[in-house]
Amino acid sequence: MEHRYPRNAGVKYMLAGGSAIAALGLLMDLRGLIPNFSTTPERCQEIVQAKSVLSREQLSQLLSVPEGSNRNQLRQIMNAPYCRLSNLEVRAGVTAQREAYPLAFDPQTWFVVLYEGDQYIGYSFSFRR
């Protein structure tokens, strides 16, 4: 006597297995597997201007400034930074200075500007929740 499985039995097993894997993925803490993901926000090394914030208009202007521009070009758009973060080695043997600006419309998010000497080399966002 031959036992036959219904045609859709394979699909049911695949859906059940996929659901179990998805549930495990939701329960696991994957942040430790992602490189350069910090659960603790960086701390200021020096407060420069405690009331400094960056408006949407300033942020929009800054995003259009090309890398390699002089620090003074950026200073024409924005005021003194809220604080300075610790220096960072972006390329081998080259130290970058970082300045942080809280966003006026979302103070928990900081716009971080990177400089090598007086040359602007890029930016990042720091989410401080």
Side-chain angles (χ1 to χ4, degrees), residues 7 14 18 20 31 34 47 66 68 73 96 112 123-124:
R7 284 186 176 199
M14 194 170 13
R31 289 177 288 187
I34 301 171
I47 302 291
Q73 280 183 272
V112 180
Y123 68 89
S124 65

Side-chain angles (χ1 to χ4, degrees), residues 88-100:
L88 175 64
E89 189 173 302
V90 178
R91 296 181 293 138
V94 181
T95 301
Q97 301 83 39
R98 300 181 300 158
E99 297 178 343

Side-chain angles (χ1 to χ4, degrees), residues 1 3 5-7 16 25 29 32 38-39 45 55 66 68 74-75 81 89 95 102 108 116 124-125 127:
M1 179 171 193
H3 185 47
Y5 291 101
R7 284 186 176 199
D29 184 10
S38 174
T39 56
Q45 300 298 307
S55 70
L74 277 79
R75 287 279 193 253
E89 189 173 302
T95 301
Q108 297 299 314
E116 288 178 356
S124 65
F125 288 94
F127 304 96

